[in-house]
Amino acid sequence: YISKSHVGNEFSEVKYLGTGSNSMVFTAKRNDEMVVLKMLKQNLHHRNIAELEMKLEMQILTKTNHPNIIGIKGAGEIPRKFIVVDYLEGGTLDKLLQQNQPLANPQHQQSKH
């Protein structure tokens, strides 16, 4: 079940995290839990495509249950379409890649023994 929500009604401590090609990304608190809001940008020339991509992302995440893939927590349409996903500590993937450090892989580490 994906709850529909309004950003102003149930989220607090909303902070800008970054921007992608179609969306702006924010961290926020909902019911004392950190989450991530991925909201479509206001002025998109290809809004129909962006909305379709967000819908597909939401459908995929709804059907996926894996420890290495974020989970979806909800979605909404006010002020613009957005999805709510798990918050993962450790910074953005972009920053991790810039650090040029190997990502931890517990299965790989176990197989070396």
Side-chain angles (χ1 to χ4, degrees):
Y1 171 71
I2 302 295
S3 65
K4 294 284 184 178
S5 49
H6 306 283
V7 171
N9 292 346
E10 60 182 285
F11 299 97
S12 62
E13 300 180 32
V14 178
K15 296 178 185 165
Y16 174 77
L17 186 63
T19 300
S21 58
N22 295 327
S23 303
M24 297 175 70
V25 182
F26 304 87
T27 58
K29 272 196 174 180
R30 181 171 76 175
N31 301 326
D32 294 324
E33 177 186 18
M34 289 298 296
V35 295
V36 172
L37 302 171
K38 183 177 179 183
M39 182 179 295
L40 288 181
K41 291 179 182 176
Q42 189 166 356
N43 299 317
L44 288 173
H45 297 320
H46 51 282
R47 177 164 297 281
N48 292 343
I49 294 171
E51 287 181 359
L52 178 61
E53 287 175 352
M54 183 172 275
K55 181 180 177 182
L56 291 172
E57 180 178 4
M58 189 169 69
Q59 289 173 343
I60 290 167
L61 291 176
T62 300
K63 295 176 183 179
T64 305
N65 183 12
H66 190 277
N68 294 332
I69 299 174
I70 58 169
I72 188 159
K73 303 264 188 196
E77 297 186 358
I78 297 176
R80 293 180 300 286
K81 289 190 182 226
F82 66 92
I83 59 174
V84 184
V85 297
D86 291 328
Y87 171 80
L88 301 177
E89 293 186 24
T92 64
L93 178 59
D94 184 47
K95 287 189 180 187
L96 286 172
L97 293 173
Q98 286 177 9
Q99 293 172 356
N100 201 23
Q101 298 294 319
L103 300 176
N105 184 342
Q107 292 175 341
H108 180 68
Q109 291 173 354
Q110 290 173 356
S111 68
K112 287 184 178 179
H113 298 315

